[in-house]
């Protein structure tokens, strides 16, 4: 089974804490104060709060079955990890060509301009529950197990 | 057991191998490739010249790719003759390979214009890893200080940036009035041109190179170029980056139908039942122009190879098509350009433009009958893929047209019905 993060639009208040926790989780220190005040460049949130009031919901990589980003990747950096079933980005191979950005229908691939590479959701691989899901105050993000 | 033969081990060839193996784990696959190095990314060879990446970083698949997919890889060998009635391919080694299903994925070759001096020592083309390797070695060997790049398209811009990073003085010569004219409109082109000039590049537009001249002491070695209007520019090396043409040599004189490239249907099949073609050698479907054409682009080559592979292995699959679509990462300006980004004037087209000069952001959308048919985004490109989705699915944008170029335009700006279709939230 593979995890998918599902957004519940009705429950989303648009607070943006998902972005904050994602930034902290992907920072060097994993400390909120240091991540925001001391680390430059600041770590990139892999989740984006999409807002057009009253509509709001968070979006991150959908780990698409037929992932256009992985197919289009010029270097093989974007690929499906056979063990986890997740679309995974190898930052050592990424050459920042932005081809994946062009073909992602969700605009879910972030640009790390400083590093000249991309950044995307890894579902907080080392944790049981992704931080955006664990810290959503209104339960607007949930994890579901789906068939790969 | 089916016997698949693939000529070419670049993007389309690799895509085909993966697709065939998804459907048929045991059939015999033979790949014939002139190149001996592992599958690598051709669009990235400029990063080798700039010193940013070694070959290991450019490999698109791991070194065991052929073994893992049980492919017999005949590398360093050239397919020289195709016999469609016998279903055989003759190699330059004298060997013969027979096939049941054939994919021709021979790619493109650099176009070299007829002009004096292209045979001189120091003239390069720039499409393969060995081109990049030889160029980098030559720069070191002669301590090249001045280079003329002919052609300001994707390849020309990429190699120009690599040379600038090596502190080489570059003159970029472009026949059109603007650089990157196949991808950018005059305004976007001007923004990029300024960035390129700021890095010290001498850009000459509206002219081409008339001839390449030798050094006074040695006529056989590049010493400079003469432009159409007569001006002479001294240089140590010349790189010809005008474009690529399909490598159709293998099918010349056979029954396989060609136009500019090999003609294929939506299954990437040629006019012969067991012969397929994909990648830069084929004329595949453009969903914006609604016609088949040459589109020598890496991601499309992978997809075309994949579709061919599925069909060769018996899984009927239609190619949804691609279009002229490119991203650029050069000179610090991220660019996405898709479809009719720089169309000729046409009353049927509606053009939306936003230029934020302060942040150097430029966005342009081209609409036809309320469907996005072209786009160019400079600098602010993160959500460009949403627009590509609108284009590919020919979504009518009439209801939210006024929001398309708003700063906060995103998935939440799409109508509810579309958001539902995209499964964005529950």
């Amino acid at each position: 089974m593979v995890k998918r993060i599902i957004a519940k639009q009705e429950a989303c208040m648009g607070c943006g804490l998902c972005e904050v926790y994602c930034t902290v989780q992907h920072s060097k220190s994993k400390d909120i104060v240091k991540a925001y005040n001391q680390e430059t460049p600041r770590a990139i949130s892999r989740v984006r709060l999409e807002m057009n009031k009253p509509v709001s919901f968070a979006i991150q990589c959908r780990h698409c079955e037929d992932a256009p980003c992985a197919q289009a990747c010029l270097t093989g950096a974007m690929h499906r990890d056979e063990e986890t079933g997740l679309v995974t980005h190898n930052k050592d191979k990424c050459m920042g060509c932005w081809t994946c950005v062009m073909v992602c229908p969700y605009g879910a691939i972030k640009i790390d301009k400083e590093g000249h590479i991309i950044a995307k959701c890894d579902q907080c691989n080392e944790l049981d529950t992704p931080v955006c899901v664990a810290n959503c105050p209104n339960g607007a993000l949930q994890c579901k197990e789906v068939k790969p | 057991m089916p016997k698949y033969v693939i000529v070419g081990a670049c993007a389309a060839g690799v895509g085909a191998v993966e697709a065939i193996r998804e459907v048929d784990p045991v059939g015999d696959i033979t790949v014939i490739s002139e190149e001996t190095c592992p599958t690598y990314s051709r669009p990235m060879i400029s990063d080798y010249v700039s010193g940013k990446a070694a070959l290991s970083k450019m490999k698109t698949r791991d070194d065991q790719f052929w073994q893992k997919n049980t492919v017999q890889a005949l590398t360093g060998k050239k397919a020289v003759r195709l016999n469609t009635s016998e279903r055989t391919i003759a190699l330059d080694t004298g060997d013969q390979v027979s096939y049941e299903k054939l994919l021709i994925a021979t790619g493109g070759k650099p176009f070299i214009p007829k002009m004096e001096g292209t045979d001189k020592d120091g003239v390069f083309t720039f499409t393969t890893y060995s081109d990049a390797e030889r160029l980098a070695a030559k720069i070191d060997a002669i301590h090249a200080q001045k280079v003329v790049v002919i052609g300001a398209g994707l390849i020309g811009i990429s190699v120009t940036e690599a040379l600038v990073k090596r502190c080489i003085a570059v003159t970029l010569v472009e026949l059109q009035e603007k650089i990157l004219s196949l991808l950018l409109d005059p305004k976007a082109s001007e923004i990029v041109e300024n960035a390129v000039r700021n890095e010290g590049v001498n850009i000459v537009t509206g002219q081409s190179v008339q001839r390449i001249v030798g050094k006074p002491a040695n006529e056989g070695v590049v010493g400079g170029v003469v432009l159409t209007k007569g001006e002479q520019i001294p240089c140590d090396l010349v790189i010809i980056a005008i474009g690529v043409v399909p490598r159709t040599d293998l099918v010349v004189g056979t029954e396989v139908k060609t136009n500019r490239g090999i003609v294929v249907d939506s299954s990437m099949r040629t006019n012969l039942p067991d012969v397929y073609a994909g990648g830069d050698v084929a004329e595949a479907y453009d969903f914006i122009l609604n016609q088949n054409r040459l589109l020598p682009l890496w991601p499309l080559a992978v997809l075309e190879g994949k579709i061919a592979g599925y069909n060769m292995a018996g899984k009927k699959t239609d190619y949804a098509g691609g279009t002229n679509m490119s991203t650029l990462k050069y000179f610090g300006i991220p660019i996405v350009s898709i479809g009719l980004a720089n169309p000729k004037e046409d009353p049927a087209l509606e053009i939306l433009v936003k230029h934020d000069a302060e942040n150097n952001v430029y966005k342009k959308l081209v609409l036809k009958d309320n469907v996005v048919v072209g786009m160019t985004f400079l600098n602010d490109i993160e959500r460009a893929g949403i627009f590509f989705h609108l284009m590919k699915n020919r979504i009518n944008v009439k209801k939210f047209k006024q929001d398309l170029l708003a700063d906060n335009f995103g998935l939440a700006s799409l109508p509810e019905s579309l958001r539902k279709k995209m499964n964005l939230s529950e």
Side-chain angles (χ1 to χ4, degrees):
Chain A
M1 296 296 266
V2 199
K3 263 186 286 185
R4 290 282 180 273
I5 301 173
I6 311 285
K8 295 200 173 287
Q9 190 192 307
E10 296 301 315
C12 179
M13 304 179 294
C15 69
L17 276 176
C18 47
E19 292 186 353
V20 173
Y21 278 94
C22 185
T23 298
V24 174
Q25 176 65 20
H26 292 94
S27 68
K28 284 195 187 85
S29 61
K30 296 198 184 347
D31 176 282
I32 190 165
V33 177
K34 286 181 187 157
Y36 272 82
N37 292 335
Q38 289 169 21
E39 289 182 24
T40 27
R42 185 183 291 167
I44 291 167
S45 169
R46 275 80 166 148
V47 58
R48 181 192 287 123
L49 177 68
E50 290 281 1
M51 184 135 69
N52 181 27
K53 281 175 180 172
V55 178
S56 69
F57 55 90
I59 193 93
Q60 61 293 87
C61 170
R62 312 316 293 152
H63 299 277
C64 305
E65 205 176 306
D66 200 15
C69 58
Q71 283 177 21
C73 179
L74 297 190
T75 65
M78 198 74 91
H79 62 285
R80 186 174 301 281
D81 184 308
E82 280 164 25
E83 267 175 48
T84 62
L86 297 177
V87 176
T88 304
H89 173 244
N90 177 352
K91 65 179 192 331
D92 295 330
K93 280 202 68 90
C94 179
M95 291 168 107
C97 68
W98 321 132
T99 307
C100 55
V101 173
M102 169 170 66
V103 299
C104 175
Y106 307 102
I109 296 172
K110 298 293 206 80
I111 288 180
D112 175 355
K113 241 187 159 176
E114 303 275 334
H116 303 286
I117 56 171
I118 64 92
K120 70 176 278 297
C121 169
D122 53 4
Q123 287 198 356
C124 299
N125 244 335
E126 64 267 44
L127 305 176
D128 286 339
T129 309
V131 293
C132 58
V133 174
N135 293 286
C136 177
N138 219 26
L141 284 167
Q142 293 187 355
C143 259
K144 273 195 181 166
E145 303 248 309
V146 294
K147 275 190 188 154
Chain B
M1 204 156 58
K3 194 168 163 48
Y4 310 97
V5 173
I6 298 167
V7 186
C10 208
V14 167
V17 166
E18 289 177 337
I20 291 170
R21 278 293 172 252
E22 265 183 52
V23 183
D24 178 355
V26 294
D28 278 342
I29 304 179
T30 302
V31 171
I32 303 163
S33 168
E34 283 164 59
E35 291 187 89
T36 47
C37 55
T39 58
Y40 67 94
S41 180
R42 286 194 177 175
M44 295 288 111
I45 57 171
S46 64
D47 283 15
Y48 176 82
V49 174
S50 72
K52 197 178 161 196
L55 176 63
S56 59
K57 192 168 175 176
M58 288 154 50
K59 289 178 191 169
T60 59
R61 297 294 184 270
D62 65 35
D63 290 344
Q64 284 76 46
F65 180 77
W66 303 127
Q67 292 91 315
K68 273 188 187 163
N69 288 289
T70 47
V71 169
Q72 188 193 5
L74 305 176
T75 56
K77 296 185 171 72
K78 187 176 179 184
V80 288
R81 215 167 25 260
L82 167 64
N83 185 329
T84 54
S85 50
E86 304 272 325
R87 297 182 184 222
T88 55
I89 286 179
L91 306 182
D92 58 350
T93 53
D95 294 329
Q96 264 202 359
V97 179
S98 61
Y99 65 85
E100 284 171 21
K101 303 275 179 192
L102 173 68
L103 173 65
I104 301 166
T106 44
K109 61 183 172 200
F111 173 70
I112 299 172
K114 283 202 176 81
M115 68 172 151
E116 209 181 296
T118 53
D119 56 345
K120 291 192 194 303
D121 181 13
V123 178
F124 288 82
T125 54
F126 198 67
T127 57
T128 65
Y129 175 67
S130 68
D131 290 341
E133 218 179 8
R134 280 185 294 120
L135 176 62
K138 187 75 173 180
I139 290 169
D140 289 339
I142 66 165
H143 304 288
Q145 290 175 350
K146 289 181 195 146
V147 174
V148 168
V149 175
I150 309 176
L154 272 174
I155 296 175
I157 291 289
S158 75
V159 72
T160 295
E161 193 206 48
L163 296 170
V164 166
K165 283 184 176 163
R166 294 187 65 145
C167 302
I168 290 170
V170 182
T171 298
L172 182 58
V173 182
E174 169 58 50
L175 178 63
Q176 302 297 322
E177 292 301 325
K178 289 280 171 193
I179 64 168
L180 292 165
S181 61
L182 286 178
L183 291 171
L184 304 179
D185 68 5
K187 183 70 208 172
S189 175
E190 186 192 308
I191 295 170
V192 179
E193 211 172 292
N194 287 336
V196 177
R197 282 216 169 93
N198 279 342
E199 294 287 331
V201 175
N202 175 31
I203 300 178
V204 178
T205 56
Q207 280 198 78
S208 68
V209 169
Q210 192 189 80
R211 62 179 201 275
I212 300 168
V213 294
K215 285 206 194 306
N218 187 348
E219 259 304 308
V221 172
V222 169
V225 300
V226 177
L227 301 178
T228 340
K229 289 176 190 162
E231 188 192 347
Q232 183 158 343
I233 297 173
C235 64
D236 307 314
L237 301 172
V238 173
I239 299 169
I240 300 175
I242 297 174
V244 292
V245 287
R247 291 182 69 200
T248 50
D249 322 17
L250 189 60
V251 299
V252 170
T254 70
E255 286 178 330
V256 177
K257 201 175 150 194
T258 57
N259 187 22
R260 288 176 68 198
I262 297 175
V263 176
V264 292
D265 64 15
S266 61
S267 68
M268 302 309 297
R269 211 197 73 180
T270 68
N271 57 314
L272 300 186
D274 297 317
V275 181
Y276 294 74
D280 294 6
V281 76
E283 290 186 3
Y285 182 62
D286 181 325
F287 68 83
I288 293 288
L289 299 187
N290 191 25
Q291 65 181 44
N292 283 38
R293 64 184 287 215
L294 293 173
L295 284 167
L297 300 166
W298 184 275
L300 298 182
V302 175
L303 273 182
E304 290 164 25
K306 201 174 157 182
I307 300 295
Y310 283 141
N311 287 299
M312 288 162 77
K315 181 180 170 183
K316 285 204 163 57
T317 314
D318 277 335
Y319 180 48
T323 188
N324 189 21
M325 47 192 276
S326 289
T327 56
L328 282 89
K329 61 167 186 161
Y330 307 103
F331 295 96
I333 305 181
I335 301 173
V336 172
S337 180
I338 309 174
L340 295 174
N342 186 20
K344 289 195 187 104
E345 219 157 287
D346 178 351
L349 299 177
E350 184 180 354
I351 303 205
L352 309 176
V353 175
K354 186 162 101 173
H355 182 204
D356 170 1
E358 199 181 321
N359 296 305
N360 222 8
V361 169
Y362 180 76
K363 288 184 180 180
K364 169 178 174 173
L365 295 174
V366 179
L367 276 60
K368 188 178 186 184
D369 301 327
N370 290 310
V371 171
V372 184
V373 293
M375 67 177 284
T376 303
F377 282 17
L378 257 70
N379 274 318
D380 180 12
I381 65 164
E382 241 175 26
R383 282 149 148 171
I386 300 173
F387 291 87
F388 181 53
H389 179 79
L390 297 175
M391 291 173 80
K392 222 172 54 176
N393 294 284
R394 298 171 178 84
I395 288 163
N396 190 311
V397 299
K398 193 175 177 193
K399 281 187 189 150
F400 53 104
K401 193 156 58 180
Q402 69 283 0
D403 301 330
L404 287 171
L405 289 183
D407 283 336
N408 61 349
F409 178 85
L411 296 170
S413 318
L414 301 176
E416 197 182 350
S417 56
L418 185 53
R419 294 203 309 269
K420 281 230 165 84
K421 230 186 227 170
M422 291 175 78
N423 242 334
L424 295 176
S425 57
E426 283 190 343

